[in-house]
Amino acid sequence: MRQYFALLIFGIILAFSSCRTDFDTVASSGDLKFSKDTVYLDTVFKNIGSSTYQLKVYNRSKNDISIPTVQFKKGLNSKYRMTIDGMSGNEGKIFKDVTLLAKDSLYIFIETTADITDANPTDFLYTDEIQFDSGANLQEVALVTLIQDAIFLYPNQNPDGTKEKIKIDGKEVDGFYLSENDPTNGNELLFTNDKPYVIYGYAGVPENKTVTFEAGARIHFHANSGLYVGNNASLQINGTTSKTDKLENEVIFEGDRLESLYSDIPGQWKSVIFEKGSTNHAINHLTLKNAVIGLDFRSPSNTIEIKNSQIYNCAEYGILAQNAQIEGENIVINYAGLASLSCVYGGNYKFTHCTFNNNWSTPSQFAVNLSNSLAGATPETNPLTQATFNNCIIYGSSTNEFNLSKNTSASFVYQLNNCLLKFSSSTTNPNYQFKTDTEHYTNIILNENPKFYNVSENKFNIDKTSSAFAKGNQAYIIPTDILGITRTSPPDLGAYQSQDFPKK
């Protein structure tokens, strides 16, 4: 009997609940609140989808409301797309009768894919509005996106539907060879500053050809893409000193995501590979960011000159050199998952007025790594005939930022002159006797903070309070620093001439 009575009571409660009207909605009165009145979608290249951006919509009233329509002002013709609390509406453009409970909020996620022809021809902005309701209750949130025109370089599609390939490390990868007479792009071996370039796959430099990058060229690599300089091919980067922070005369290599979210994410693209047998390379005023390996030298035929260049945020190495010959001046490298500079399998290296720093988030990386061996190579060792560092800074967030991996079956010649070095662990290892080993170390400043201006923003300027101030040897001076500023005597260590910092 008690069971029947309980069921009766439950049925009455259920009946009354079904008759309640406090879950009914009322029409929106135009009093919605928004997390922002304009949503700025960061710069994108034409026809490359943007990141997803968020808008939050609030119902501050005591009533559950229904918004009759949420749509783009341009309707189905809009180049924007949105989802509302996971709903896709009509092609992501138009939504009907959107419910928003009292004192609650909903999320709108917005993205776009637009062509340069969709943008305003005077400022290259593509705009629209999200409209909530209509008539007297109409509320709008503006949308703004900057569209950049670009030259796109990518593998052709073969008749069987597969992509064009080139061979790297004995494997076929998506790629193509740059042409001097491409029917669409003209001379693809000359990168100018007229428009940015976007590269898909590996762009290869044909044998006996030279790829040249003019001052101000902007090169953007898609995911898993890079540049391949093969046998008897050459690379020339001809950047010059810039007068402003926009680096207008710098050659810049980076990923193809222009949104601020991606500005310092490592590993967005692969590498610039200099294959064994490549030749006659010169790099001046290059800024390279967010690769897996920035510059990957695989025993090129002759000496590579690298001057006034900076490499940041590489997932593995800033520069990886295998049995290479490099003369480097005014180089800055920071944030690398394994080493900022790694010279392995011997070679011949001379670096002057360089700043090798590594503030990667884990403690197992180095600013500089030197080795005369390579596992799996034949033979496994190769002579390191010279590794000289003059007036340099070797620093970072790890306890020890300098590593020597010496195999006694091949020569290992190295010398640090007038360098600031971080190596905090006391050791009896004869390789690291910085004060007493005069054969390998001269005038070493050990474990003193160089007081860089802002490491997290890759600003390695110093001022007169730095331990690197006026500690260089005049015999090794490079007359101007990475910014083109004349060095004083005695010179400062590293790539930057000291100056007063701007106020933060």
Side-chain angles (χ1 to χ4, degrees), residues 52-72:
T52 301
Y53 294 79
Q54 175 185 296
L55 173 69
K56 201 169 184 181
V57 184
Y58 303 93
N59 174 14
R60 305 293 195 196
S61 74
K62 298 179 180 179
N63 298 316
D64 302 331
I65 64 173
S66 177
I67 309 169
T69 58
V70 179
Q71 67 176 53
F72 295 114

Side-chain angles (χ1 to χ4, degrees), residues 111-125:
E111 58 186 9
T112 186
T113 304
D115 192 274
I116 190 68
T117 57
D118 300 312
N120 185 326
T122 59
D123 56 16
F124 304 107
L125 295 177

Side-chain angles (χ1 to χ4, degrees), residues 21-29 31-32 58-66 99-104:
T21 62
D22 56 344
F23 291 111
D24 293 340
T25 62
V26 299
S28 172
S29 60
D31 293 324
L32 299 171
Y58 303 93
N59 174 14
R60 305 293 195 196
S61 74
K62 298 179 180 179
N63 298 316
D64 302 331
I65 64 173
S66 177
T99 298
L100 181 51
L101 300 180
K103 305 295 183 180
D104 203 354

Side-chain angles (χ1 to χ4, degrees), residues 219-246:
I219 319 302
H220 300 266
F221 295 91
H222 194 62
N224 298 316
S225 300
L227 186 64
Y228 179 72
V229 189
N231 186 50
N232 285 323
S234 303
L235 175 142
Q236 298 284 316
I237 293 179
N238 299 329
T240 60
T241 304
S242 299
K243 295 182 179 180
T244 73
D245 291 339
K246 293 182 179 180

Side-chain angles (χ1 to χ4, degrees), residues 251-290:
V251 174
I252 299 180
F253 288 1
E254 59 183 325
D256 66 348
R257 301 313 302 254
L258 304 184
E259 301 93 326
S260 56
L261 174 66
Y262 292 88
S263 62
D264 57 1
I265 295 179
Q268 295 180 46
W269 58 284
K270 287 290 191 178
S271 180
V272 181
I273 298 174
F274 300 81
E275 192 55 88
K276 182 177 182 179
S278 63
T279 186
N280 296 326
H281 309 305
I283 298 171
N284 197 6
H285 284 286
L286 168 69
T287 293
L288 186 155
K289 301 185 289 185
N290 306 333

